[in-house]
Amino acid sequence: MTDPRLGVDGVVVAFGGLRAVDEVSFAVQPGETFGIIGPNGAGKTTLLNSVSGLVPLRTGSISLDSTAMHGLRPHQRAALGVGRTFQAAEVFNDFRVRDYMLLGRLFAQQTSVIGAALRLPGVRRAEKSERVAVENLLDRHGLADVAGVVLKELPYGLRKLVDILRALAGRPRVLLLDEPTSGTATSDRLALRDVLLEAGRDGMTTVVVDHDVQFVSELCGRVLVVNFGQQIGTGTPAEVLQRPDVRAAFMGAD
Amino acid sequence: MTGEMTMPPSQVQTAPARTRPSPRTLPGGAAGGAVFVLVVVVTALAGGQYAVYTGTLIGIYALVTVSQEWIIGRAGLVSLGSAAIMAVGAYVTARLSTTSWSVFPIPLVVAMIFGAVVGLLIGVPGLRFRGLYLMLTTLALQFIVAFAGQKYQGVENQSGFVVNPPHWGSLDLGSPRALFIITCVVLGLVLLALRGIYGGAAGRIWNAMRQDEAAASVLGVNLVRWKLTAFIGSSALTALGGSLYAYQAGLVSYGTFSLDLSLTLLVMVFIGGLGTLVGPILGAAVIVLLPNGIERLSGAFAGIPQVADWLSLHEATVANGIYGLLLLLVLLFERDGIYGLVRRLGSAAAGQWHRRVRRGAVQ
Amino acid sequence: MNADIANVISNGLVTGCIYALIGVGFVVVFRATGVVSFAQGAFMVLGALIFAGLARAGLGLAVGLPVMLVVMLVIGGVIYRLVFARIAGAEAFVASIATVGLGIVLEVIALLIWGPEVIAVPQLFNFRSRVHVVGELNFSALNLFVMGLTVVAFVVIVVGLNRTPVGLRMRAVANNPQLAAYSGVRVVRTSMIAWGIGGLTAGLAGVLYLLGSQPDPVTVYSLGLAAFPAILLGGLDSIPGSLVGGILIGLLQAAIGVFVGGEWQDVGAYCVLLAVLLLRPQGIFGSAEIGRL
Ligand SMILES: Nc1ncnc2c1ncn2[C@@H]1O[C@H](COP(=O)(O)OP(=O)(O)OP(=O)(O)O)[C@@H](O)[C@H]1O
Ligand SMILES: [Mg+2]
């Protein structure tokens, strides 16, 4: 077997005395869609935050294509190819859809302040072609008519979709999705699923955290179950969901 | 923090459509630019002494407020030290104006460089923190610069350093009208530059940082780089404002650049409205014209001498009180400032008009 | 002990007590409502002017001081209700900027009512009577009064916060306003009390300063800002910190005044502020998270 795209090894994250992530290890292969499920407060978001670099590790290591990442700051990890969506779609409320999509393509953009201040033709041309690329992308997903709408005015499910498209636009090497279906309606879920299935066919490596077991089962070949910060099992969705301890964890939560 | 929040279900599905225009977009640049050029040209050609003088003052303050808005409205950092940074630009200009480096625009450029360096020096310690600690750092800066200025002036320059008028070889640019034109051209260029910056990737990056720093870093934003850039750029432009101020005042002394001036500038930015370039300019204009308004008011009360006398006796204090009150009112009721209010009234009026037209069509 | 050092100690302790009183009100407000208040100076002005008015009307310390304290308690609470309760949810710096506006408005009101002259207050103390302590160290009756009242104020506040239901609620609000609200604490009322305490202690500081010097309102007002180095040194959220920070900065400034020169006093304090920000932003006693405001 080759090196995994994303390797998480013995990761512990603690807030004071609370071990929100406790000795979790898993590996995601290139092109794989990997699921993480667990009841509320199990530590799923914290696990993704540790991959993004938002919380420090107490112990353990995280690697991307066998490059150790856990010493890097969040923006450096993003530059290496860690893409991410947010559980709460209201993190960025004030962007127009088009500008938020452009933010997802930061890596491809001219960020020279001096160049922008002097309105150098090169900078303006680059900006223009970026805008065209984004409009095309929105058009392809039937979102052309909301391109100018401010995010907080979109229905929640649509915001979730925009957030995922924003992350996909950055062409990450691994995409971390935090609860893509939370707060969405069934029809939204179908649209989200289709987008993610298509991304998977294109070879995207994805980690999906979600409460909707059905949704995760449809997308993922393998899932990891966490509870109280600890991993209680990994396997195909069918295998894992059959295990009594997993069922107990979920029953206990609901 | 990021992403840890789950929405209460009641708020999840419904997103009330709001008619209020969202700020932080670039308003019609061509129209705004045309108005700006028109006002400047008319004032330069036809304005009386008072209009030219006041126009220059507004222009200078607008330059400073626009650059302060850069850090407040874009990067979400608040500084109480804008007057101190203006002082740096003013001192540099005063000293250069009496040397062979006095040729326009060398003092302005050097002032900007000094401003940038000071911005870097205070920006670095403030970097690790959000807005409030920067407020305290810059509060300290304010007192330290005033003190250093006083020491620097010493006994022999107690009343201040004289500033020689700007010139181009033998061409004197020091007349009020020339200064007005210089100020407006500089302001216009700065506005163009800022528009360029805010309209591209940098504007989006600061917007993201202001909304959520941690989430922005996950999207690939190097927080240190972008906070510093905002602080350095804004400080350079603030010092540029200080440089123009020195030319207009003709004398530079530490007493001018007090904490009161910093606070007044802050009031201008907030009451004008954050997130736009027009807002801070409006704020500067309102606050510069306010004392004059009070004077007129006391003129209007000429029939009641008690009121008129009281007003003219307490003009400065009353003006101060109105600044403070305006600031409070804006923060309480109209966070987008005067400009936001104008736009809201404008769109409400447009709505009325549309309704009336429609009703007219039906009848 | 030589006379210089004795001077530093007695002057430093008195100034330090005034800083400590400004600071403790600041800390109570900050802990309960998360607002970095720049309005403490304005509350000092109001307290001093109200007290001076009462004293001129013939009320002595025994009546004038308690009346002033009650009035300031009410003013602080009402201001929270009118202004800060409305912006409780906004970004942290919005409320702090609002305190700047509030400070300006209150100062202007004071200036318009009472004028900018030195605040006139009848002699309430025999300043000459000095109490000998040890060596060259002695305190005037006024100094002892200032220090005594400061100690009393701190004892009352610490006991009040730790031992009374009001204090308990205030701590609950400080820790987690949302949770406190869910558990039935009336957050607005509790925050009003915190702001009342902030106004009251600042008013007390203003009066004590007034009794020792003959300041005009603007001087009193700027003392509110001068207390920031002390507040930060102690820790923005620590009540013992406000006492220790106040005394340390008071002593430092007194030492600078005696050994370097009076004009260096403020700059010295602000250099300490910068050093604290760089080296230990949470201050001596503050908690770590505050560093990331
Ligand atoms: N920044 C933080 N400081 C302290 N505790 C935290 C922090 N972030 C998370 N926690 C705690 O860590 C635990 C795991 O939280 P996390 O958000 O990772 O759970 P989750 O599995 O994503 O839950 P949910 O399904 O509700 O999204 C919880 O007990 C939470 O309260
Ligand atoms: Mg979560």
Side-chain angles (χ1 to χ4, degrees):
Chain A
M1 202 158 74
T2 54
D3 278 334
R5 174 58 49 88
L6 176 69
V8 170
D9 197 17
V11 164
V12 176
V13 178
F15 301 110
L18 171 78
R19 287 161 86 94
V21 175
D22 197 357
E23 290 281 343
V24 172
S25 304
F26 63 90
V28 185
Q29 302 305 323
E32 186 181 4
T33 302
F34 185 81
I36 299 177
I37 56 175
N40 277 328
K44 306 177 297 290
T45 297
T46 308
L47 188 55
L48 293 193
N49 282 348
S50 72
V51 177
S52 299
L54 288 176
V55 292
L57 303 189
R58 188 153 289 184
T59 55
S61 64
I62 296 172
S63 61
L64 187 72
D65 289 328
S66 73
T67 314
M69 254 198 336
H70 45 272
L72 301 180
R73 287 190 292 154
H75 71 269
Q76 295 168 317
R77 302 191 196 197
L80 279 182
V82 178
R84 165 80 189 264
T85 66
F86 302 102
Q87 177 167 354
E90 47 281 289
V91 173
F92 293 112
N93 254 335
D94 277 356
F95 277 111
R96 285 172 197 285
V97 170
R98 134 184 341 122
D99 290 329
Y100 193 49
M101 297 295 295
L102 282 164
L103 199 61
R105 293 179 51 83
L106 216 50
F107 72 98
Q109 287 167 9
Q110 271 287 350
T111 55
S112 149
V113 173
I114 306 271
L118 299 177
R119 304 177 152 238
L120 297 180
V123 176
R124 305 188 79 173
R125 221 176 305 124
E127 172 79 9
K128 215 164 261 168
S129 77
E130 275 296 301
R131 285 180 179 272
V132 171
V134 160
E135 297 292 339
N136 288 341
L137 190 65
L138 286 174
D139 201 22
R140 191 135 41 81
H141 290 93
L143 294 171
D145 50 337
V146 294
V149 178
V150 179
L151 283 175
K152 65 180 163 220
E153 283 159 18
L154 281 186
Y156 205 77
L158 211 48
R159 287 162 76 171
K160 287 274 190 183
L161 178 63
V162 169
D163 199 20
I164 291 173
L165 292 178
R166 183 271 306 154
L168 279 171
R171 298 186 195 292
R173 282 206 277 175
V174 58
L175 174 62
L176 314 175
L177 302 174
D178 196 358
E179 310 260 2
T181 70
S182 74
T184 62
T186 317
S187 56
D188 296 325
R189 291 184 192 200
L190 293 179
L192 289 175
R193 190 198 59 188
D194 291 345
V195 167
L196 293 178
L197 284 175
E198 188 196 321
R201 281 195 296 275
D202 292 348
M204 180 60 65
T205 312
T206 310
V207 177
V208 186
V209 165
D210 212 282
H211 269 125
D212 185 341
V213 175
Q214 169 93 40
F215 183 81
V216 173
S217 308
E218 282 176 23
L219 281 171
C220 303
R222 287 189 308 144
V223 295
L224 166 75
V225 186
V226 284
N227 195 16
F228 296 117
Q230 291 168 336
Q231 67 188 94
I232 56 178
T234 318
T236 66
E239 279 166 23
V240 165
L241 289 171
Q242 229 133 56
R243 287 173 46 171
D245 51 343
V246 172
R247 299 176 75 96
F250 275 87
M251 299 301 256
D254 288 346
Chain B
M1 268 299 293
T2 325
E4 269 97 8
M5 275 192 332
T6 11
M7 277 296 276
S10 61
Q11 291 173 39
V12 168
Q13 305 289 354
T14 49
R18 302 205 323 181
T19 45
R20 183 170 163 188
S22 185
R24 302 179 202 289
T25 53
L26 299 173
V35 171
F36 179 78
V37 170
L38 190 73
V39 170
V40 170
V41 168
V42 167
T43 312
L45 292 179
Q49 214 174 349
Y50 174 79
V52 167
Y53 171 82
T54 312
T56 313
L57 212 54
I58 293 176
I60 292 169
Y61 283 132
L63 179 53
V64 177
T65 50
V66 162
S67 28
Q68 289 299 304
E69 197 275 336
W70 188 347
I71 56 166
I72 302 172
R74 315 288 160 168
L77 305 167
V78 180
S79 157
L80 294 178
S82 49
I85 296 170
M86 275 181 83
V88 170
Y91 276 117
V92 167
T93 306
R95 292 335 295 274
L96 288 182
S97 77
T98 55
T99 67
S100 56
W101 285 51
S102 61
V103 180
F104 182 85
I106 293 176
L108 275 70
V109 174
V110 179
M112 280 178 74
I113 294 170
F114 270 76
V117 171
V118 173
L120 179 71
L121 289 181
I122 43 175
V124 168
L127 274 181
R128 289 180 290 154
F129 313 117
R130 294 281 305 175
L132 293 178
Y133 267 80
L134 192 75
M135 280 172 87
L136 296 178
T137 318
T138 50
L139 185 68
L141 175 83
Q142 186 62 54
F143 284 94
I144 291 170
V145 165
F147 183 73
Q150 188 184 1
K151 286 270 149 209
Y152 182 42
Q153 280 173 230
V155 201
E156 61 276 28
N157 292 300
Q158 216 161 18
S159 56
F161 292 115
V162 173
V163 189
N164 288 343
H167 69 92
W168 230 336
S170 59
L171 179 65
D172 183 4
L173 302 172
S175 77
R177 218 161 283 268
L179 271 181
F180 174 73
I181 294 170
I182 290 176
T183 302
C184 292
V185 169
V186 169
L187 176 61
L189 291 176
V190 166
L191 290 175
L192 275 178
L194 288 180
R195 234 184 106 75
I197 294 173
Y198 298 158
R204 292 189 288 272
I205 287 171
W206 280 313
N207 195 348
M209 275 172 58
R210 188 184 47 76
Q211 293 179 50
D212 191 324
E213 277 189 9
S217 75
V218 168
L219 299 192
V221 173
N222 181 347
L223 298 176
V224 170
R225 175 187 164 192
W226 289 98
K227 275 195 200 178
L228 261 192
T229 307
F231 216 78
I232 292 172
S234 137
S235 301
L237 295 181
T238 303
L240 180 61
S243 177
L244 292 171
Y245 188 94
Y247 281 128
Q248 194 193 28
L251 189 71
V252 171
S253 182
Y254 65 94
T256 314
F257 305 101
S258 60
L259 181 65
D260 278 348
L261 179 59
S262 283
L263 295 183
T264 307
L265 288 162
L266 202 63
V267 172
M268 291 179 184
V269 177
F270 273 92
I271 71 163
L274 295 176
T276 64
L277 288 172
V278 186
I281 301 176
L282 278 181
V286 167
I287 296 295
V288 170
L289 294 174
L290 191 62
N292 185 256
I294 294 173
E295 214 168 285
R296 292 203 177 179
L297 197 64
S298 73
F301 278 109
I304 319 166
Q306 290 93 330
V307 177
D309 287 351
W310 187 86
L311 267 179
S312 54
L313 185 64
H314 297 289
E315 190 186 303
T317 314
V318 170
N320 230 337
I322 294 179
Y323 301 167
L325 203 58
L326 277 177
L327 180 60
L328 273 183
L329 290 177
V330 161
L331 293 177
L332 281 176
F333 300 113
E334 179 58 70
R335 206 68 56 72
D336 295 334
I338 296 176
Y339 184 58
L341 191 65
V342 168
R343 278 210 291 182
R344 207 129 59 100
L345 293 179
S347 60
Q352 278 267 319
W353 187 76
H354 277 297
R355 266 196 297 283
R356 202 167 309 152
V357 168
R358 224 175 300 140
R359 226 179 299 136
V362 170
Q363 278 164 5
Chain C
M1 189 178 343
N2 82 25
D4 278 349
I5 294 187
N7 245 336
V8 166
I9 293 178
S10 62
N11 290 342
L13 284 178
V14 171
T15 316
C17 282
I18 291 175
Y19 284 153
L21 283 174
I22 304 171
V24 73
F26 173 95
V27 169
V28 169
V29 164
F30 180 75
R31 295 213 322 186
T33 59
V35 178
V36 170
S37 172
F38 289 88
Q40 289 293 87
F43 284 129
M44 289 174 71
V45 175
L46 283 185
L49 287 169
I50 291 169
F51 175 79
L54 294 171
R56 282 197 302 271
L59 299 180
L61 278 173
V63 183
L65 200 58
V67 171
M68 182 280 297
L69 293 177
V70 171
V71 174
M72 291 307 297
L73 184 76
V74 172
I75 291 181
V78 168
I79 282 177
Y80 174 79
R81 187 72 195 80
L82 287 181
V83 180
F84 294 94
R86 291 169 192 270
I87 37 183
E91 290 148 288
F93 74 72
V94 169
S96 297
I97 299 292
T99 64
V100 171
L102 174 71
I104 298 174
V105 170
L106 291 181
E107 190 201 10
V108 164
I109 291 175
L111 286 175
L112 289 179
I113 297 179
W114 286 286
E117 299 81 25
V118 166
I119 303 170
V121 62
Q123 188 91 338
L124 297 166
F125 261 96
N126 180 3
F127 292 97
R128 299 281 145 70
S129 69
R130 300 192 81 85
V131 178
H132 185 82
V133 180
V134 60
E136 305 264 349
L137 187 61
N138 56 50
F139 291 101
S140 71
L142 177 67
N143 288 354
L144 290 177
F145 179 69
V146 169
M147 294 190 292
L149 266 191
T150 305
V151 171
V152 170
F154 269 86
V155 169
V156 169
I157 288 176
V158 169
V159 171
L161 283 184
N162 291 319
R163 298 279 158 79
T164 66
V166 175
L168 208 65
R169 286 200 287 271
M170 213 170 277
R171 278 195 298 168
V173 172
N175 284 339
N176 188 339
Q178 220 154 14
L179 197 63
Y182 292 151
S183 9
V185 175
R186 297 199 206 159
V187 176
V188 170
R189 182 175 296 184
T190 310
S191 304
M192 278 175 74
I193 295 173
W195 273 78
I197 294 175
L200 176 154
T201 52
L204 182 59
V207 170
L208 296 182
Y209 182 57
L210 172 71
L211 292 177
S213 337
Q214 284 95 45
D216 56 55
V218 176
T219 313
V220 179
Y221 182 69
S222 39
L223 199 66
L225 289 177
F228 268 107
I231 295 170
L232 201 70
L233 179 62
L236 289 182
D237 64 341
S238 163
I239 287 175
S242 59
L243 184 61
V244 174
I247 301 279
L248 283 179
I249 295 287
L251 289 173
L252 174 79
Q253 287 193 322
I256 292 177
V258 169
F259 298 113
V260 187
E263 52 175 1
W264 292 87
Q265 282 177 330
D266 285 346
V267 173
Y270 278 105
C271 287
V272 171
L273 186 150
L274 282 186
V276 173
L277 280 173
L278 278 176
L279 303 175
R280 196 179 159 80
Q282 69 273 36
I284 301 177
F285 293 101
S287 50
E289 313 93 78
I290 302 289
R292 299 218 155 256
L293 280 175

